[in-house]
Structure formats: C-alpha cells, structure tokens
Amino acid sequence: MIILSCNNLSKSFGIDCILDHVSFSVSQGEKVGIVGANGAGKTTLFRILTGQYPYDEGDIYLSKNLSIGYLEQSAALAPENTIFQEALHVFDDLIAMEEKLRILEQQIATAGQHSDHDALQHLMEDYARLSEEFQNRNGYGYRSEIRGVLKGLGFCEEEFDQPIYQLSGGQKTRLHLAKLLLGKPDILMLDEPTNHLDIEATEWLEAFLKSYPGTILTISHDRYFLDEIANKIFEIEHRKLTIYNGNYSDYVEKKKILYEQKLKEYEEQQKEIARQEEMIRRFKQHGTEKLANRAKSREKRLEHMELVDKPLCYNKRTNIRFETRIKSGDDVLKAENLCKYFGENKLFENVSFDVHRGDKIGLIGPNGIGKSTLLKIILGKIDYNAGQIKTGYHVHLGYYDQEQSDLNLSNTVIDEIWKENILLTQTEVRTLLGSFLFSNDDVFKTIAYLSGGEKSRIALLKLMLSKANFLLMDEPTNHLDIASKEVLEEALINYDGTLLVISHDRYFLNKVTNKILELSPDGIKEYLGNYRYYQEKKREFQNPVVEETDGQKTKTQMKDEKRREREKREEAKKRKKEQESIETRIFMIEERMAELEALMCQEEVYANPQRSKEVHEETNALKEELEYLYGQWETYIE
C-alpha cells in the first residue's frame, strides 16, 4: 500500500533550482536509502515532506493519521533534563495513563466507601479499559525499553543521569535518535543517522532498523549501512530523482550499466549526426538543385532530431593520486608494549604490532579508546608512558587529521598549497586545485570559510603533494560525498606505499584494507583481511565451531575438547534455565497484577481503605520487580 507519494515536485531557492519535477512513491514497510552529492537536495526534500519548507510546484500525498519522525543533523533538546528524563518524555502518554490508573484506584475506593454504585460502575469500566490498554502498550516495560535503546546507541548506565547541557553535539544527536526509535513513528526519516556512532552502535542500529515494522527513508553517505538496510535507493542528481530497486551495491551496479547504455546511445547518435552532416556537406558541395533540396531535407530532419544528452555520471570528480618519493624499507614500524595514561586514567596498554611495506591497515575500536592518540604517538606529537616504538629505514610519514588542524585558517586556498610547494608555478597550483574541484575564484576563498568537505579536499591535496611513503589517516571519509569517497578509495588501492587508517566507514575499510587492528584498553588484536573478514572471524570467536582434521588427536586433546563441549552445553543449559525462570516469574507477576487490577474493582476491596492500600502497595512492588526482571531478561536475549 502506497503511504507517501510525490508528483512533479519542484523547489527553487531564488534562481537556483534544487528539485525539478521529482516524482516517486513509497509503500508501507519499504526501507529507502537516499543518495546524492552534497547540495543535491536530499535534506531539502526531507524538509519539504515534513512541512518545514514550501514547494513551488507538484503534489504530495500522505496517508491519513500517519506519524512521521524526523532526525535532523541538528536537533533541540531540553538542556536541564538528564539523558534518561529526555528519553522518558517519549512515553509521557503512558506515564499520564499510569497516573490516571492510580487516581482511578483512589476514586474507586472513595466511591465504594460512599456506596455510589452508578459512579462505581463507570469508574470500574474506565479502570478495566485503561488497564488493558496500558498493558498492551508495554506500560510495565517501557523503562527497560529506554535502557536497551540508549545502551544500543552507545550510552552507558553511568551517563543516564548526565544533564543534556553537558553533552557533546554527537551525544545529543544520538539521544534524539534514541527518542525517535522509541517513538516508533509510521515513517522514520533519518538524515545521516550513523554520524557520531561508533561501529558497534551502527551495527546495533542496523539490526534495529532491519526489524523495524514501519517505513524508513534515510539519507546516508554510509554505503555499508545502506547495503544492510535499504531495499530501494533514490538518487538525487542534476535536480532529478532516479529510483533503483535493491540495496546500495545493487544501485552501483545498475547505475554503471545505465551509464554505459546512455553513453552508447549518445555516441551512436553523435556518429549518426556526424554522418548526416557529412552527407549534407557533400550534397551542397556538388551544387545541383536536386542535391541541394536533399541537403535541406536532411537539415530539417537533424533540427527535429531529439538529442540524447551526454551522461554526466562521472563528471566533476576529484582527481586524487598518491605517489611516493622514495621507497621505504620492508619494516615500516614496530610497536612493543605501548602504554598510555592521562593522569591516573589508563587509555590503553600492551599495544604491540608490526607494519610492513605495502600494508593497508584499518585501525578500529570504540570511540574514546585512543585510536587518534595512537596515531599521534607514532607521529611523535604525544608522549607515551611505557613501551617502545621504532620507525623503519627511509620511512617518510604523511598525516591526515580529521580536525584539519594543520590548515592555516587565515590562508586563501591557493596560498595554503603554494606556501608548502614553492617550486610549483601558479599555473601548476591552480591546475592541481582544479583537479580537486577548486576553480576560478574558488582558489581565493579563505580556508576558515570553507565547508567541511572543501577543507577535507585541501587536506587530501596537501597529503598527496607530500609524496609520503607511510600515510597515517584519521577518518579521511568524513565530510566527503560518496563520489569523492570512491575516488579516494581508488587512489589508496593504487597507492604503492603503506597505509594506517582510522575509519568508521566499513565500506571503505572493506574495499581498501588488507589488515584490521582492533584496539582495546588491554592491547590490540590483528586480523589478516579486510573488514568483512574481521566480522566473520569475530563471529567465529563468539560462536566457535570445532572442525575435524585429518590428523590423529591425542587422548588429552580429545578429553579437553569433550570437557569444553560439556562445559559449553552446561553453560548454555544453565542460561536457558535461568532465562526460562525469569520468563516464568514475569508471567506470574503479570498474571498477579491482572488479578490485583480485578480486585480493585471488587466492592469488598475498594470499600475497605486498608485492603485497598494493601492491593495498591503490592501492585507497586510487583511493578518494580517486573521492571528489574525485564532488564535481566534483556541480557539473556541480546
């Protein structure tokens, strides 16, 4: 069933046309990824659909009584609330319903004391109806649901009581996302939802959205995320919207095929036009009246020919090529038992790893674990507390900082490049800047006034010109649109030096790296493959499978294996028994609470203040126990 559609939707800001006669429809339960270059109009489309922007032409259809939840890249929250209090506001109606139930209990008791049977009958009916609705809407488990979503998005229990005014921008975005997910709108509209999430939180969000019963529209530059959740892609390009069925990888393949088809059509038409023009020239050249008339006839046909536009798929892309000035030795870097403390707080210890020439290494780990600090230790910008680090022969380091702290904000674009490459002519510098999409007067813009994507391109150009043979890169795909990411990936794949890169972009890691280092407070683990290989190995470690081998096992090995299998079975049996025990207790409590609600409607209870108070106190005690049990139960099913 179609729940949202747009027909010939157009939007301009002044003389700039952003969307031109865009048409599409979205069916219930679809999960749509929206892609396009920065500034293509993706966020504008969302703001039109949510009524924040007017539109110039076209029609929008929305099914009646639909709830829409919109995650903007910046959203307002009440600064005086704590994280948990803010999330709790999602369930204000349930909290009000709970309070109404308590008031009804008191009113039932009062009506019973005054023997007001008509009022009592109405009150009992209201109480029964409200109580059933409260239970059906998870009235006894919503607090546990809040904790589960907050934890999934990277908040720990200790942060739940932290006031919002103390939060970073990324934490506020995660909290707003949590509120949206808890609200369960019919249409969930997400603008870059994986920004500010580490990989673990992103994977939790993917699992949540895969099972989400509603409709999802999401703008994202996270291609791995789009591969995991989208079953349809909307591409906004050159003011038009094109629809592709499937996930992001399907879209890339279909777009490539479509581009090749359009290019073939264009080239064949250009050949035909050239052939016709040549024939017209020859007809005119011979000068006879008959041939001149034929020339005019062909000219008219050419004038009325519907021209095929040249496809623009690969136009205006950054041109990146990393090269090395000299080749390093085979051993590029050796770290042994590195340890880093800030005051008395341990960041990490026992970090040991080797880097060899040609390695393309992805460094991953939760936010705040010390990945950027480790890069700065390698660069010599930060001291370490213990261990040692050795750089190999002829190793020339190049560094890309996600904060672009090495850019001089007071410089113009051309000066930022020229001052570090004084041997280049102005023409050469402008040519280089042009290949990074800085043309004409763009080169005289001040760095401070550039967008995040523009600053990233300048930092990448500086890194490219360094000709370093060991690149250290911290979140290089942040602020880049998908086209720029693809160009960067291709450049790094073809790079003949060594790479150590921090990234939350799993698609990037999967495509570029051949080794993954996972950093934790207690050390580092090495995986000899790309990101998908790392995921597979992690799953194997979490769910180990005993493989048979051709060789003979010793009795001790067989005995140990049987013992481990027995312990594993016993542990699984124990957990299952504990889970079943909790489920049984939850069922019993819910049954008892239903009985207590029924008791509140009986005259011998509500007419007896003491008995009514006992029932009320028992209900509250059971509610607290139920909430605790729901929390325990979650740990078994995760």
Side-chain angles (χ1 to χ4, degrees), residues 85-97:
Q85 285 171 343
E86 187 68 25
L88 205 57
H89 278 308
V90 175
F91 299 98
D92 280 345
D93 56 340
L94 273 180
I95 294 168
M97 198 182 296

Side-chain angles (χ1 to χ4, degrees), residues 11-46:
K11 174 65 180 176
S12 296
F13 292 101
I15 62 172
D16 295 326
C17 179
I18 305 300
L19 301 172
D20 183 21
H21 294 91
V22 164
S23 298
F24 63 88
S25 62
V26 179
S27 298
Q28 185 175 2
E30 279 191 323
K31 295 176 171 62
V32 180
I34 302 177
V35 301
N38 292 339
K42 305 183 295 295
T43 300
T44 297
L45 176 61
F46 268 20

Side-chain angles (χ1 to χ4, degrees), residues 347-369:
L347 189 61
F348 54 71
E349 63 183 2
N350 300 323
V351 168
S352 299
F353 62 95
D354 295 328
V355 178
H356 303 289
R357 189 179 68 227
D359 280 348
K360 306 282 174 65
I361 302 171
L363 179 61
I364 65 172
N367 289 341
I369 201 68

Side-chain angles (χ1 to χ4, degrees), residues 8-9 14 81 104 131 157 201 252 263 310 427 431 456 501 536 551 573 581 622:
N8 291 322
L9 193 70
N81 283 341
L104 282 172
S131 177
E157 288 270 5
V252 170
L263 184 62
K310 184 176 182 179
T427 302
T431 300
S456 294
V501 58
E536 290 169 359
K573 187 176 178 181
S581 174
L622 288 174

